[in-house]
Amino acid sequence: MKKKGLWISSLIVCFIVLFLFCINWYFPYSPFSFSKSVFYNADNIVVKEYKKELNDFKAIYNSEKKNTLTDDRTQYILPMFEQQWLVSGKPVKMKVSDQLHTMLNEVKETKDILIELAFREKYSLETKEYLKIALLTCLSLENEIVELKNSKFHSRSTLNRQIHNLHMSFIRCFDMYATFYKEYRHLR
């Protein structure tokens, strides 16, 4: 009788452990997950092209910097676009507690800087329009990160798709900011 009870208890414990392991694997951001992380492997061609565009932009930014608010604030915006997961061709671990919180803070800081530029600098109508679009893409980025952070019961494949979409949104946001900045430099 004791052997049967021990066997049933062991079976129940094994079932619970197996169940938690499956939950951890299929739903990596769930409250039952141990690590709350997923590996994201960006498309190497996209990363290579993005790094080229980023380096080209930095070359433009570093040449002929003037003592203006836009030039000064750009140095604080660039780190958002240089995050390791955006420029790495290798799989990157995306943890809710570390990476997504940091990412969200960077986007919020950039949003605040873009709002500051909108109210404190004088731009041409076309340049203002590019700044407005950059700000709107930044707001959209913030919403995507919050949605990803709240994806507790999404499957691993859904999370990978969300992270891929987020990666592409970061690239779009960078493109909008780069377009704004180039237009600003062109008209100076």
Side-chain angles (χ1 to χ4, degrees), residues 8-18:
I8 290 173
S9 297
S10 298
L11 188 62
I12 290 171
V13 168
C14 286
F15 177 73
I16 291 171
V17 168
L18 183 62

Side-chain angles (χ1 to χ4, degrees), residues 43-53 55 86-87:
D43 184 313
N44 285 329
I45 296 170
V46 172
V47 170
K48 187 176 180 180
E49 184 63 30
Y50 176 67
K51 283 168 64 173
K52 181 188 177 311
E53 290 174 12
N55 288 333
L86 292 171
V87 296

Side-chain angles (χ1 to χ4, degrees), residues 112-128:
D112 291 344
I113 291 170
L114 293 176
I115 290 170
E116 177 188 22
L117 291 177
F119 286 102
R120 291 190 59 198
E121 283 280 82
K122 292 184 179 170
Y123 302 111
S124 71
L125 286 175
E126 191 172 351
T127 307
K128 281 183 188 178

Side-chain angles (χ1 to χ4, degrees), residues 52-132:
K52 181 188 177 311
E53 290 174 12
L54 186 61
N55 288 333
D56 291 348
F57 175 79
K58 286 175 15 181
I60 291 169
Y61 169 68
N62 288 323
S63 70
E64 302 178 33
K65 268 197 279 189
K66 302 266 195 271
N67 192 18
T68 66
L69 188 64
T70 304
D71 283 329
D72 179 61
R73 296 305 189 257
T74 297
Q75 69 181 318
Y76 302 111
I77 291 173
L78 275 174
M80 182 179 97
F81 299 119
E82 297 173 318
Q83 296 176 64
Q84 185 61 33
W85 77 281
L86 292 171
V87 296
S88 177
K90 298 177 182 166
V92 177
K93 193 175 202 177
M94 301 293 284
K95 293 180 101 176
V96 172
S97 60
D98 299 336
Q99 199 126 15
L100 292 179
H101 288 316
T102 302
M103 199 184 302
L104 185 58
N105 287 336
E106 295 236 1
V107 170
K108 285 180 178 182
E109 287 174 17
T110 297
K111 175 188 71 174
D112 291 344
I113 291 170
L114 293 176
I115 290 170
E116 177 188 22
L117 291 177
F119 286 102
R120 291 190 59 198
E121 283 280 82
K122 292 184 179 170
Y123 302 111
S124 71
L125 286 175
E126 191 172 351
T127 307
K128 281 183 188 178
E129 194 61 32
Y130 288 130
L131 177 60
K132 176 184 163 189

